[in-house]
Amino acid sequence: AQRVTQPEKLLSVFKGAPVELKCNYSYSGSPELFWYVQYSRQRLQLLLRHISRESIKGFTADLNKGETSFHLKKPFAQEEDSAMYYCALSGPGGGNKLTFGTGTQLKVEL
Amino acid sequence: GAVVSQHPSRVICKSGTSVKIECRSLDFQATTMFWYRQFPKQSLMLMATSNEGSKATYEQGVEKDKFLINHASLTLSTLTVTSAHPEDSSFYICSASPGTSGGTYNEQFFGPGTRLTVL
């Protein structure tokens, strides 16, 4: 069974500090990994996906198959980064289904 | 960008009544729509996958007769919570995807959610 684990419910950092939101997964195969973000009073939206290898809003995430991790990182946190972040997994042939982690609330303090 | 709407945004109903929630893709055709349930401060749990013109595929533990899903067109899917009870109170979120291409994931676009409260 596929599973996504986000160990931190809440992560509080100061503005300008580095951010790392942890995500580990279990999947017997080659999954596709995503980070979704939900800003206050807004809908869930895709932040980035591992196959794109992009940096979005300064965030990056590298898929580490050896450690089965897909941690989200940003070198310098901004106040507007405060949001709920969900790591998600989709398996090939899974019909596009997403399995979500429990989410991490990121709070960036001034 | 792709927009998905949900209606209503909030609904309060009495126990035993049925409630219908609509999910619409406004500017694209959604081959597949998904329905999720989210409890307070918890993750999104996939309830079912709905493909246009065919029966929905329900996740394990989700009652098909309780949560009726219809995907009659490429832009509309509905979730009907039948004979609702207080334990069905939750936040229901839909998402829509333009479709799958082999094993490649196609992005899901999420609706704003519907808050259901059953008294």
Side-chain angles (χ1 to χ4, degrees), chain A residues 1-86:
Chain A
Q2 54 197 57
R3 189 167 64 241
V4 177
T5 303
Q6 292 179 252
E8 302 142 327
K9 283 187 182 282
L10 173 66
L11 181 64
S12 187
V13 300
F14 286 106
K15 180 181 174 181
V19 174
E20 183 178 49
L21 300 171
K22 291 184 167 50
C23 172
N24 287 89
Y25 67 91
S26 62
Y27 185 80
S28 55
S30 296
E32 295 188 56
L33 274 298
F34 309 85
W35 277 99
Y36 279 81
V37 61
Q38 188 170 28
Y39 299 102
S40 180
R41 299 180 184 275
Q42 294 187 30
R43 68 189 67 196
L44 204 62
Q45 57 185 286
L46 180 65
L47 180 63
L48 54 80
R49 52 205 287 187
H50 89 269
I51 59 172
S52 300
R53 304 182 71 82
E54 297 173 298
S55 172
I56 306 292
K57 298 184 178 182
F59 284 98
T60 59
D62 291 319
L63 180 61
N64 186 321
K65 292 186 178 181
E67 296 183 357
T68 59
S69 69
F70 187 57
H71 303 327
L72 183 67
K73 299 178 183 179
K74 184 170 182 176
F76 308 104
Q78 301 298 315
E79 192 180 359
E80 57 265 27
D81 295 330
S82 295
M84 192 72 174
Y85 291 81
Y86 292 96

Coordinates of all heavy atoms in Angstrom, one line a residue, chain A residues 1-86:
Chain A
A1 N 0.8 -1.2 0.0 CA 0.0 0.0 0.0 C 0.9 1.2 0.0 O 2.0 1.3 0.6 CB -0.9 0.0 1.2
Q2 N 0.4 2.3 -0.7 CA 1.2 3.5 -0.7 C 0.8 4.4 0.5 O -0.3 4.5 0.9 CB 1.0 4.2 -2.0 CG -0.4 4.5 -2.4 CD -0.6 4.8 -3.9 OE1 -0.2 4.0 -4.7 NE2 -1.1 6.0 -4.2
R3 N 1.8 5.0 1.0 CA 1.7 5.9 2.1 C 2.6 7.1 2.1 O 3.7 6.9 1.6 CB 1.9 5.1 3.4 CG 1.5 5.8 4.7 CD 1.5 4.9 5.9 NE 2.8 4.4 6.2 CZ 3.0 3.1 6.2 NH1 2.1 2.2 6.0 NH2 4.2 2.7 6.5
V4 N 2.1 8.2 2.6 CA 2.9 9.4 2.6 C 2.9 9.9 4.1 O 1.9 10.0 4.7 CB 2.4 10.5 1.7 CG1 3.2 11.8 1.8 CG2 2.3 10.0 0.3
T5 N 4.1 10.2 4.6 CA 4.3 10.6 5.9 C 4.9 12.0 6.0 O 6.0 12.2 5.4 CB 5.2 9.6 6.7 OG1 4.6 8.3 6.6 CG2 5.3 10.0 8.2
Q6 N 4.2 12.8 6.7 CA 4.8 14.2 7.0 C 4.8 14.2 8.5 O 3.8 14.4 9.2 CB 3.9 15.3 6.5 CG 3.9 15.3 4.9 CD 3.0 16.4 4.4 OE1 1.9 16.1 3.9 NE2 3.4 17.6 4.6
P7 N 6.0 14.1 9.1 CA 6.2 14.0 10.6 C 5.8 15.2 11.4 O 5.4 15.1 12.5 CB 7.6 13.6 10.7 CG 8.3 14.2 9.6 CD 7.3 14.1 8.4
E8 N 5.9 16.4 10.7 CA 5.6 17.6 11.5 C 4.3 18.2 11.2 O 4.0 18.4 10.0 CB 6.7 18.6 11.2 CG 8.1 18.2 11.4 CD 9.1 18.7 10.4 OE1 8.7 18.8 9.2 OE2 10.3 18.9 10.7
K9 N 3.5 18.4 12.2 CA 2.2 19.0 12.0 C 2.4 20.5 11.8 O 1.6 21.2 11.1 CB 1.2 18.8 13.2 CG 0.6 17.4 13.2 CD -0.4 17.3 14.3 CE -1.0 15.9 14.4 NZ -2.0 15.7 13.4
L10 N 3.3 21.1 12.6 CA 3.5 22.5 12.6 C 5.0 22.8 12.5 O 5.8 22.1 13.2 CB 2.9 23.1 13.8 CG 3.2 24.6 14.1 CD1 2.6 25.5 13.0 CD2 2.7 25.0 15.4
L11 N 5.4 23.7 11.7 CA 6.8 24.1 11.6 C 6.8 25.6 11.6 O 6.2 26.3 10.8 CB 7.5 23.6 10.3 CG 8.9 24.0 10.1 CD1 9.8 23.3 11.2 CD2 9.4 23.6 8.7
S12 N 7.5 26.2 12.6 CA 7.6 27.6 12.8 C 9.0 28.1 12.6 O 9.9 27.6 13.3 CB 7.1 28.0 14.2 OG 7.0 29.4 14.4
V13 N 9.2 29.0 11.7 CA 10.5 29.6 11.4 C 10.4 31.1 11.4 O 9.4 31.7 11.2 CB 11.1 29.0 10.1 CG1 11.2 27.5 10.1 CG2 10.3 29.5 8.9
F14 N 11.6 31.7 11.5 CA 11.7 33.2 11.4 C 11.9 33.5 9.9 O 12.5 32.8 9.1 CB 12.8 33.8 12.3 CG 12.4 33.8 13.7 CD1 13.0 32.9 14.6 CD2 11.5 34.7 14.2 CE1 12.7 32.9 15.9 CE2 11.1 34.7 15.6 CZ 11.7 33.8 16.4
K15 N 11.4 34.7 9.6 CA 11.6 35.2 8.2 C 13.1 35.2 7.9 O 13.9 35.7 8.7 CB 11.0 36.6 8.1 CG 11.2 37.3 6.7 CD 10.6 38.7 6.7 CE 10.9 39.4 5.4 NZ 10.3 40.7 5.4
G16 N 13.4 34.7 6.7 CA 14.8 34.7 6.3 C 15.6 33.4 6.7 O 16.7 33.2 6.2
A17 N 15.0 32.6 7.5 CA 15.6 31.4 7.9 C 15.3 30.3 6.9 O 14.3 30.4 6.1 CB 15.1 30.9 9.3
P18 N 16.1 29.3 6.8 CA 15.9 28.2 5.9 C 14.7 27.3 6.3 O 14.4 27.2 7.5 CB 17.2 27.4 5.9 CG 17.8 27.7 7.2 CD 17.4 29.1 7.5
V19 N 14.0 26.8 5.3 CA 12.9 25.9 5.6 C 13.1 24.5 5.0 O 13.5 24.4 3.9 CB 11.6 26.5 5.0 CG1 10.4 25.6 5.2 CG2 11.3 27.9 5.6
E20 N 12.7 23.5 5.8 CA 12.7 22.2 5.2 C 11.4 21.5 5.8 O 11.3 21.2 7.0 CB 13.9 21.4 5.6 CG 13.9 20.0 4.9 CD 15.2 19.2 5.2 OE1 15.5 19.0 6.4 OE2 15.7 18.6 4.3
L21 N 10.6 21.1 4.9 CA 9.4 20.4 5.2 C 9.6 18.9 4.8 O 9.8 18.7 3.7 CB 8.1 20.9 4.5 CG 7.8 22.4 4.8 CD1 6.7 22.9 3.9 CD2 7.4 22.6 6.3
K22 N 9.5 18.0 5.8 CA 9.8 16.7 5.5 C 8.7 15.8 4.9 O 7.5 16.0 5.3 CB 10.4 16.0 6.8 CG 11.7 16.5 7.2 CD 12.2 15.8 8.4 CE 13.7 16.1 8.7 NZ 14.0 17.5 8.7
C23 N 9.0 14.9 4.1 CA 8.1 14.0 3.5 C 8.8 12.7 3.2 O 9.8 12.7 2.5 CB 7.5 14.6 2.2 SG 6.4 13.4 1.3
N24 N 8.2 11.6 3.7 CA 8.7 10.3 3.3 C 7.5 9.5 2.8 O 6.4 9.7 3.1 CB 9.3 9.6 4.6 CG 10.6 10.2 5.0 OD1 10.7 11.1 5.8 ND2 11.7 9.6 4.4
Y25 N 7.9 8.6 1.9 CA 6.8 7.8 1.3 C 7.1 6.3 1.3 O 8.3 5.9 1.4 CB 6.6 8.3 -0.1 CG 7.7 8.0 -1.1 CD1 7.8 6.9 -1.8 CD2 8.8 9.0 -1.2 CE1 8.9 6.6 -2.7 CE2 9.8 8.7 -2.1 CZ 9.9 7.6 -2.8 OH 11.0 7.3 -3.6
S26 N 6.1 5.5 1.1 CA 6.3 4.1 0.9 C 5.5 3.7 -0.4 O 4.3 4.1 -0.5 CB 5.9 3.3 2.1 OG 4.6 3.4 2.3
Y27 N 6.2 3.1 -1.3 CA 5.5 2.7 -2.6 C 6.4 1.7 -3.2 O 7.6 1.9 -3.4 CB 5.3 3.9 -3.4 CG 4.5 3.6 -4.7 CD1 3.1 3.5 -4.7 CD2 5.2 3.4 -5.9 CE1 2.4 3.2 -5.8 CE2 4.5 3.1 -7.1 CZ 3.1 3.0 -7.0 OH 2.4 2.7 -8.1
S28 N 5.8 0.6 -3.7 CA 6.6 -0.4 -4.4 C 6.6 -0.1 -5.8 O 5.8 -0.7 -6.6 CB 6.0 -1.8 -4.0 OG 4.7 -1.8 -4.4
G29 N 7.5 0.7 -6.3 CA 7.5 1.1 -7.7 C 8.1 2.4 -7.9 O 8.9 2.9 -7.0
S30 N 7.8 3.1 -8.9 CA 8.3 4.4 -9.2 C 7.2 5.4 -9.1 O 6.5 5.6 -10.1 CB 9.0 4.4 -10.6 OG 10.1 3.6 -10.7
P31 N 7.1 6.1 -8.0 CA 6.0 7.0 -7.9 C 6.3 8.4 -8.4 O 7.5 8.7 -8.7 CB 5.8 7.1 -6.3 CG 7.2 6.9 -5.8 CD 7.9 6.0 -6.8
E32 N 5.3 9.1 -8.6 CA 5.5 10.6 -8.9 C 5.1 11.3 -7.6 O 4.1 11.0 -7.0 CB 4.6 11.0 -10.0 CG 5.0 10.3 -11.3 CD 4.2 10.9 -12.5 OE1 4.3 12.1 -12.8 OE2 3.6 10.1 -13.2
L33 N 5.9 12.2 -7.2 CA 5.7 13.0 -6.0 C 5.4 14.4 -6.2 O 5.9 15.0 -7.2 CB 7.0 12.9 -5.1 CG 7.2 11.7 -4.1 CD1 6.1 11.6 -3.1 CD2 7.2 10.4 -4.9
F34 N 4.6 15.0 -5.4 CA 4.1 16.4 -5.5 C 4.1 17.1 -4.2 O 4.0 16.4 -3.1 CB 2.7 16.4 -6.1 CG 2.5 15.5 -7.3 CD1 2.2 14.2 -7.2 CD2 2.6 16.1 -8.5 CE1 2.0 13.4 -8.3 CE2 2.4 15.3 -9.7 CZ 2.1 14.0 -9.5
W35 N 4.2 18.4 -4.2 CA 3.9 19.2 -3.1 C 2.7 20.1 -3.5 O 2.7 20.8 -4.5 CB 5.1 20.1 -2.7 CG 6.0 19.3 -1.8 CD1 7.2 18.7 -2.2 CD2 5.9 19.1 -0.4 NE1 7.8 18.1 -1.1 CE2 7.0 18.3 0.0 CE3 5.0 19.5 0.6 CZ2 7.2 18.0 1.4 CZ3 5.2 19.1 1.9 CH2 6.3 18.4 2.3
Y36 N 1.7 20.1 -2.6 CA 0.6 21.0 -2.8 C 0.6 22.0 -1.6 O 1.0 21.7 -0.5 CB -0.8 20.2 -2.7 CG -1.1 19.5 -4.0 CD1 -0.5 18.3 -4.4 CD2 -2.0 20.1 -4.9 CE1 -0.9 17.7 -5.6 CE2 -2.4 19.6 -6.1 CZ -1.8 18.4 -6.5 OH -2.1 17.8 -7.7
V37 N 0.0 23.2 -1.9 CA 0.0 24.2 -0.9 C -1.4 24.8 -0.8 O -2.1 24.8 -1.8 CB 1.0 25.3 -1.2 CG1 0.7 26.0 -2.5 CG2 1.1 26.4 -0.1
Q38 N -1.8 25.1 0.5 CA -3.1 25.7 0.7 C -2.9 26.9 1.6 O -2.6 26.8 2.8 CB -4.0 24.7 1.4 CG -5.5 25.2 1.5 CD -6.4 24.1 1.9 OE1 -6.0 23.2 2.7 NE2 -7.6 24.1 1.5
Y39 N -3.0 28.1 0.9 CA -2.9 29.3 1.7 C -4.3 29.6 2.4 O -5.3 29.0 2.0 CB -2.6 30.5 0.7 CG -1.3 30.3 0.0 CD1 -1.2 29.9 -1.3 CD2 -0.1 30.5 0.7 CE1 0.0 29.7 -2.0 CE2 1.1 30.4 0.0 CZ 1.1 29.9 -1.3 OH 2.4 29.7 -1.9
S40 N -4.2 30.4 3.4 CA -5.4 30.7 4.2 C -6.6 31.1 3.4 O -6.5 32.0 2.5 CB -5.0 31.8 5.2 OG -6.2 32.1 6.0
R41 N -7.7 30.3 3.6 CA -8.9 30.6 2.9 C -8.9 30.4 1.4 O -9.7 31.0 0.6 CB -9.4 32.0 3.2 CG -9.7 32.3 4.7 CD -10.2 33.7 4.9 NE -10.3 33.9 6.4 CZ -11.4 33.6 7.1 NH1 -12.4 33.1 6.5 NH2 -11.5 33.9 8.3
Q42 N -7.9 29.7 0.9 CA -7.8 29.4 -0.5 C -7.8 27.9 -0.7 O -7.7 27.1 0.2 CB -6.5 30.0 -1.1 CG -6.5 31.5 -1.1 CD -5.3 32.1 -1.8 OE1 -4.8 31.5 -2.8 NE2 -4.9 33.2 -1.4
R43 N -8.0 27.5 -2.0 CA -8.1 26.1 -2.3 C -6.7 25.5 -2.5 O -5.7 26.2 -2.6 CB -8.9 25.9 -3.6 CG -8.2 26.5 -4.9 CD -9.1 26.5 -6.1 NE -10.2 27.4 -5.9 CZ -11.3 27.3 -6.6 NH1 -11.4 26.4 -7.6 NH2 -12.2 28.2 -6.5
L44 N -6.7 24.2 -2.5 CA -5.4 23.5 -2.6 C -4.9 23.7 -4.0 O -5.6 23.7 -5.0 CB -5.7 22.0 -2.4 CG -4.6 21.1 -2.0 CD1 -4.1 21.5 -0.6 CD2 -5.1 19.7 -2.0
Q45 N -3.6 24.0 -4.2 CA -3.0 24.1 -5.5 C -1.6 23.5 -5.5 O -0.9 23.4 -4.5 CB -2.9 25.6 -5.8 CG -2.1 26.4 -4.8 CD -2.1 27.9 -5.2 OE1 -1.5 28.4 -6.1 NE2 -2.9 28.7 -4.4
L46 N -1.3 23.1 -6.7 CA 0.0 22.4 -6.9 C 1.1 23.4 -6.8 O 1.1 24.4 -7.4 CB 0.0 21.7 -8.3 CG 1.3 21.0 -8.7 CD1 1.5 19.8 -7.8 CD2 1.2 20.6 -10.2
L47 N 2.1 23.0 -6.0 CA 3.3 23.8 -5.8 C 4.4 23.4 -6.8 O 4.9 24.1 -7.6 CB 3.8 23.8 -4.4 CG 5.0 24.6 -4.1 CD1 4.8 26.1 -4.4 CD2 5.5 24.4 -2.7
L48 N 4.7 22.1 -6.7 CA 5.7 21.5 -7.6 C 5.6 20.0 -7.6 O 5.0 19.4 -6.8 CB 7.1 22.0 -7.3 CG 7.7 21.8 -5.9 CD1 8.2 20.4 -5.7 CD2 8.9 22.8 -5.7
R49 N 6.2 19.5 -8.7 CA 6.2 18.0 -8.9 C 7.7 17.6 -9.2 O 8.4 18.3 -9.8 CB 5.3 17.6 -10.0 CG 5.5 18.4 -11.3 CD 4.3 18.4 -12.1 NE 3.9 17.2 -12.7 CZ 2.9 17.0 -13.6 NH1 2.2 18.1 -14.0 NH2 2.7 15.9 -14.1
H50 N 8.0 16.4 -8.8 CA 9.4 16.0 -8.8 C 9.9 15.9 -10.3 O 11.1 16.2 -10.6 CB 9.7 14.8 -8.0 CG 9.5 13.5 -8.8 ND1 8.4 12.8 -8.9 CD2 10.4 12.8 -9.5 CE1 8.5 11.7 -9.6 NE2 9.8 11.7 -10.0
I51 N 9.0 15.5 -11.2 CA 9.5 15.3 -12.6 C 9.8 16.6 -13.3 O 10.6 16.6 -14.2 CB 8.5 14.5 -13.4 CG1 7.1 15.2 -13.5 CG2 8.3 13.1 -12.8 CD1 6.2 14.6 -14.4
S52 N 9.3 17.7 -12.7 CA 9.6 19.0 -13.4 C 10.9 19.5 -13.0 O 11.5 20.3 -13.7 CB 8.5 20.0 -13.0 OG 7.2 19.6 -13.4
R53 N 11.4 19.2 -11.8 CA 12.7 19.6 -11.3 C 12.8 21.1 -11.4 O 13.8 21.7 -11.7 CB 13.8 19.0 -12.0 CG 13.8 17.4 -12.0 CD 15.0 16.8 -12.7 NE 16.2 17.0 -12.0 CZ 16.6 16.3 -11.0 NH1 15.9 15.3 -10.6 NH2 17.7 16.6 -10.3
E54 N 11.7 21.8 -11.0 CA 11.7 23.3 -11.1 C 11.8 23.8 -9.7 O 11.7 23.1 -8.7 CB 10.3 23.8 -11.6 CG 10.0 23.4 -13.0 CD 8.6 23.7 -13.4 OE1 7.6 23.2 -12.7 OE2 8.4 24.6 -14.3
S55 N 12.1 25.1 -9.6 CA 12.0 25.9 -8.4 C 10.8 26.8 -8.5 O 10.7 27.6 -9.4 CB 13.3 26.7 -8.2 OG 13.2 27.5 -7.1
I56 N 9.9 26.6 -7.6 CA 8.7 27.5 -7.6 C 8.6 28.3 -6.4 O 8.7 27.7 -5.3 CB 7.4 26.6 -7.7 CG1 7.5 25.6 -8.9 CG2 6.1 27.5 -7.8 CD1 7.4 26.3 -10.2
K57 N 8.5 29.6 -6.5 CA 8.5 30.5 -5.4 C 9.7 30.3 -4.5 O 9.6 30.5 -3.2 CB 7.2 30.4 -4.6 CG 5.9 30.7 -5.4 CD 4.7 30.6 -4.6 CE 3.5 31.0 -5.5 NZ 2.2 31.0 -4.7
G58 N 10.8 29.9 -5.0 CA 12.0 29.6 -4.3 C 12.1 28.3 -3.6 O 13.1 27.9 -3.0
F59 N 11.0 27.5 -3.8 CA 11.0 26.1 -3.2 C 11.6 25.1 -4.2 O 11.3 25.2 -5.4 CB 9.6 25.7 -2.8 CG 9.0 26.4 -1.6 CD1 8.2 27.5 -1.7 CD2 9.3 25.8 -0.3 CE1 7.7 28.1 -0.6 CE2 8.8 26.4 0.8 CZ 8.0 27.5 0.7
T60 N 12.3 24.1 -3.6 CA 12.7 23.0 -4.4 C 12.5 21.7 -3.6 O 12.3 21.8 -2.4 CB 14.2 23.1 -4.7 OG1 15.0 23.2 -3.5 CG2 14.5 24.3 -5.6
A61 N 12.4 20.6 -4.3 CA 12.3 19.3 -3.7 C 12.9 18.3 -4.5 O 12.7 18.2 -5.7 CB 10.8 19.0 -3.5
D62 N 13.8 17.5 -3.9 CA 14.5 16.4 -4.6 C 14.0 15.1 -4.2 O 13.9 14.8 -3.0 CB 16.0 16.6 -4.4 CG 16.6 17.8 -5.1 OD1 16.2 18.1 -6.2 OD2 17.4 18.5 -4.4
L63 N 13.7 14.3 -5.2 CA 13.3 12.9 -4.8 C 14.5 12.1 -4.5 O 15.4 11.9 -5.3 CB 12.5 12.3 -6.0 CG 12.0 10.9 -5.8 CD1 11.0 10.8 -4.7 CD2 11.4 10.4 -7.1
N64 N 14.5 11.5 -3.3 CA 15.6 10.6 -2.9 C 15.1 9.2 -2.8 O 14.4 8.9 -1.8 CB 16.2 11.1 -1.6 CG 17.5 10.3 -1.2 OD1 17.5 9.1 -1.4 ND2 18.4 11.0 -0.6
K65 N 15.3 8.4 -3.8 CA 14.7 7.1 -3.8 C 15.3 6.2 -2.7 O 14.7 5.3 -2.2 CB 14.8 6.5 -5.2 CG 14.0 7.1 -6.2 CD 14.0 6.4 -7.6 CE 13.1 7.1 -8.6 NZ 13.1 6.4 -9.9
G66 N 16.6 6.4 -2.5 CA 17.3 5.6 -1.4 C 16.6 5.8 -0.1 O 16.5 4.8 0.7
E67 N 16.3 7.0 0.2 CA 15.7 7.4 1.5 C 14.2 7.5 1.5 O 13.6 7.8 2.5 CB 16.3 8.7 2.1 CG 17.8 8.6 2.3 CD 18.3 9.9 2.9 OE1 17.5 10.9 3.1 OE2 19.5 10.0 3.2
T68 N 13.7 7.2 0.3 CA 12.2 7.4 0.0 C 11.7 8.7 0.6 O 10.8 8.7 1.4 CB 11.4 6.2 0.5 OG1 11.6 6.0 2.0 CG2 11.8 4.9 -0.2
S69 N 12.4 9.8 0.2 CA 12.0 11.1 0.8 C 11.8 12.1 -0.4 O 12.3 11.9 -1.5 CB 13.1 11.6 1.7 OG 14.3 11.9 1.1
F70 N 11.1 13.1 -0.1 CA 10.8 14.2 -1.0 C 10.6 15.5 -0.2 O 9.6 16.1 -0.2 CB 9.6 13.9 -1.9 CG 9.3 14.8 -3.0 CD1 10.3 15.0 -4.0 CD2 8.1 15.4 -3.1 CE1 10.1 15.9 -5.0 CE2 7.8 16.3 -4.2 CZ 8.8 16.5 -5.1
H71 N 11.7 15.9 0.5 CA 11.6 17.0 1.4 C 11.5 18.3 0.6 O 12.2 18.5 -0.4 CB 12.8 17.1 2.3 CG 13.0 15.8 3.1 ND1 11.9 15.0 3.5 CD2 14.1 15.2 3.6 CE1 12.4 14.0 4.2 NE2 13.7 14.1 4.3
L72 N 10.7 19.2 1.1 CA 10.6 20.6 0.4 C 11.5 21.6 1.1 O 11.4 21.7 2.4 CB 9.1 21.0 0.5 CG 8.7 22.3 -0.1 CD1 8.8 22.2 -1.6 CD2 7.3 22.7 0.3
K73 N 12.2 22.3 0.3 CA 13.2 23.2 0.9 C 13.1 24.6 0.3 O 12.7 24.8 -0.8 CB 14.6 22.7 0.7 CG 14.9 21.3 1.3 CD 16.3 20.9 1.0 CE 16.5 19.5 1.6 NZ 17.8 18.9 1.3
K74 N 13.5 25.6 1.2 CA 13.6 27.0 0.7 C 14.7 27.6 1.5 O 14.6 27.5 2.8 CB 12.3 27.7 0.8 CG 12.3 29.1 0.2 CD 11.0 29.8 0.1 CE 11.1 31.2 -0.5 NZ 9.7 31.8 -0.7
P75 N 15.6 28.3 0.9 CA 16.8 28.8 1.7 C 16.4 30.0 2.6 O 16.9 30.1 3.7 CB 17.8 29.2 0.6 CG 17.0 29.4 -0.7 CD 15.8 28.4 -0.5
F76 N 15.4 30.8 2.2 CA 15.1 32.0 3.0 C 13.6 32.1 3.0 O 13.0 32.5 2.0 CB 15.7 33.2 2.4 CG 17.2 33.1 2.1 CD1 17.7 32.9 0.8 CD2 18.1 33.2 3.2 CE1 19.0 32.8 0.6 CE2 19.5 33.1 2.9 CZ 19.9 32.9 1.6
A77 N 13.0 31.8 4.2 CA 11.5 31.9 4.3 C 11.0 33.3 4.2 O 11.6 34.2 4.7 CB 11.1 31.2 5.6
Q78 N 9.8 33.4 3.6 CA 9.2 34.7 3.5 C 7.8 34.6 4.2 O 7.2 33.5 4.4 CB 8.9 35.1 2.0 CG 10.2 35.2 1.2 CD 11.1 36.3 1.7 OE1 10.7 37.4 2.0 NE2 12.4 36.0 1.8
E79 N 7.3 35.7 4.7 CA 6.1 35.7 5.4 C 4.9 35.1 4.6 O 4.1 34.4 5.1 CB 5.7 37.2 5.8 CG 4.6 37.2 6.9 CD 4.2 38.6 7.2 OE1 4.9 39.6 6.7 OE2 3.3 38.8 8.0
E80 N 4.9 35.4 3.3 CA 3.9 34.9 2.5 C 4.0 33.4 2.2 O 3.1 32.8 1.6 CB 3.9 35.6 1.1 CG 5.2 35.5 0.3 CD 6.1 36.7 0.6 OE1 6.0 37.4 1.7 OE2 6.9 37.1 -0.3
D81 N 5.0 32.7 2.7 CA 5.1 31.3 2.6 C 4.2 30.6 3.7 O 4.0 29.4 3.6 CB 6.5 30.8 2.8 CG 7.4 31.3 1.7 OD1 6.9 31.5 0.5 OD2 8.6 31.6 1.9
S82 N 3.8 31.3 4.6 CA 2.9 30.7 5.7 C 1.7 30.1 5.0 O 0.9 30.8 4.3 CB 2.5 31.8 6.7 OG 3.6 32.3 7.4
A83 N 1.5 28.8 5.2 CA 0.4 28.0 4.6 C 0.5 26.6 5.1 O 1.4 26.2 5.8 CB 0.6 28.1 3.1
M84 N -0.5 25.8 4.6 CA -0.5 24.4 4.8 C 0.1 23.7 3.6 O -0.3 24.0 2.5 CB -1.9 23.9 5.0 CG -2.0 22.5 5.6 SD -1.6 22.5 7.3 CE -2.0 20.8 7.7
Y85 N 1.1 22.8 3.9 CA 1.7 22.1 2.8 C 1.5 20.6 2.9 O 1.6 20.0 3.9 CB 3.3 22.4 2.8 CG 3.6 23.8 2.5 CD1 3.5 24.8 3.5 CD2 4.1 24.2 1.3 CE1 3.9 26.1 3.2 CE2 4.4 25.5 1.0 CZ 4.3 26.5 1.9 OH 4.6 27.8 1.6
Y86 N 1.1 20.1 1.7 CA 0.8 18.6 1.7 C 1.7 18.0 0.7 O 1.8 18.4 -0.5 CB -0.7 18.4 1.2 CG -1.7 18.8 2.2 CD1 -2.3 20.1 2.1 CD2 -2.1 18.0 3.2 CE1 -3.3 20.4 3.0 CE2 -3.1 18.3 4.1 CZ -3.7 19.6 4.0 OH -4.7 20.0 4.9

